[in-house]
Amino acid sequence: DVEVVLVGRSNVGKSTVMRELTGHDVTTGKKPGVTREPNYYDWASESFMFTDLPGFGFMSGVEEHRREEIKTDVVRYIEEYADHIIAGILVVDGKAVIDIIDRHRADGEIPHDVELFHFLEDVGASPIVAVNKMDKVDDRDERLDTLCDRLGLFPPWQQWQETIAPISAKQGRIEPLLDCLRSRFEAEKRADLL
Ligand code: GDP
């Protein structure tokens, strides 16, 4: 069985994306710890497991050490199930992500989003970056090119349309993400035939 996981900082719109993708209200992300929920979905003649991993990064009222624990749990989960995971959807807030990345870099830290992106690549859980809240972004192409640069992908972003999916989940505009997922399922099928 194949699995698709959803990761991202708190408040980027993970639950909204999940709802748009599955039509379900999912609350797993709000529970403490990372548990494997047997949530199966049928979509475009595919059947797969969809796992919403807890949000990480800043959360009001959550202490630093607890936040680190959550991130460690997320990383462990992905490592453990990497063989099944055909896509790791990293949801980011299109309006805020560059500033957050650059602020962390300026402080000499590796930004969580960049770290997660490379981690997903490293374990073979091919990352898809769902750049959400694009309805709030005016300089769309410039913003997406900059994001590619920060992720180590050569701009222009249009070269990476199977990886970078600009969406607006709240408006129900997630077609680029569906396209990315479709191509992952197709790649998986081709790999199975070999
Ligand atoms: P989560 O914490 O990552 O699960 O985020 P939620 O799905 O709860 O969304 C956080 C906030 O962002 C909510 O107020 C949503 O209505 C808002 N939001 C989610 N998607 C979008 C979007 O595409 N555009 C805009 N403008 N707001 C969004």
Side-chain angles (χ1 to χ4, degrees):
D1 50 344
V2 295
E3 180 169 355
V4 174
V5 297
L6 211 56
V7 294
R9 291 174 167 280
S10 307
N11 216 40
V12 293
K14 237 150 53 69
S15 319
T16 311
V17 170
M18 188 78 176
R19 209 174 308 130
E20 282 300 317
L21 278 173
T22 65
H24 292 257
D25 248 315
V26 250
T27 51
T28 46
K30 306 285 185 278
K31 285 185 200 154
V34 179
T35 47
R36 198 172 206 227
E37 305 266 332
N39 288 322
Y40 282 90
Y41 296 97
D42 292 302
W43 172 75
S45 79
E46 314 288 346
S47 178
F48 58 94
M49 221 173 116
F50 221 127
T51 311
D52 182 24
L53 295 170
F56 53 84
F58 178 77
M59 285 171 262
S60 60
V62 181
E63 282 175 58
E64 173 67 25
H65 77 95
R66 180 62 198 130
R67 281 187 258 146
E68 282 302 315
E69 261 172 30
I70 294 170
K71 202 175 108 190
T72 306
D73 284 349
V74 167
V75 164
R76 284 217 187 101
Y77 183 96
I78 294 170
E79 269 175 346
E80 185 169 355
Y81 299 108
D83 289 349
H84 300 270
I85 300 174
I86 63 157
I89 304 175
L90 171 64
V91 185
V92 299
D93 177 335
K95 180 89 183 167
V97 64
I98 310 276
D99 287 344
I100 295 173
I101 289 175
D102 289 351
R103 203 181 318 136
H104 281 266
R105 278 176 144 194
D107 291 343
E109 296 161 24
I110 301 169
H112 292 315
D113 292 314
V114 176
E115 193 180 14
L116 247 303
F117 179 79
H118 292 302
F119 173 70
L120 288 167
E121 277 188 323
D122 290 347
V123 299
S126 24
I128 295 170
V129 186
V131 191
N132 194 29
K133 309 197 187 185
M134 286 304 288
D135 56 290
K136 297 207 286 184
V137 173
D138 328 307
D139 53 344
R140 175 187 166 91
D141 288 340
E142 199 184 323
R143 193 69 68 112
L144 294 169
D145 283 349
T146 309
L147 179 60
C148 279
D149 171 75
R150 300 301 188 269
L151 294 172
L153 306 173
F154 255 115
W157 76 272
Q158 285 91 344
Q159 293 193 110
W160 301 99
Q161 292 196 46
E162 295 195 352
T163 304
I164 302 287
I167 61 168
S168 185
K170 202 175 168 184
Q171 271 74 36
R173 298 209 310 260
I174 60 161
E175 196 55 46
L177 176 57
L178 298 178
D179 289 342
C180 288
L181 276 174
R182 241 172 248 131
S183 64
R184 291 300 192 283
F185 280 114
E186 278 158 23
E188 180 69 15
K189 272 192 207 120
R190 279 196 300 274
D192 275 351
L193 293 174
L194 294 176

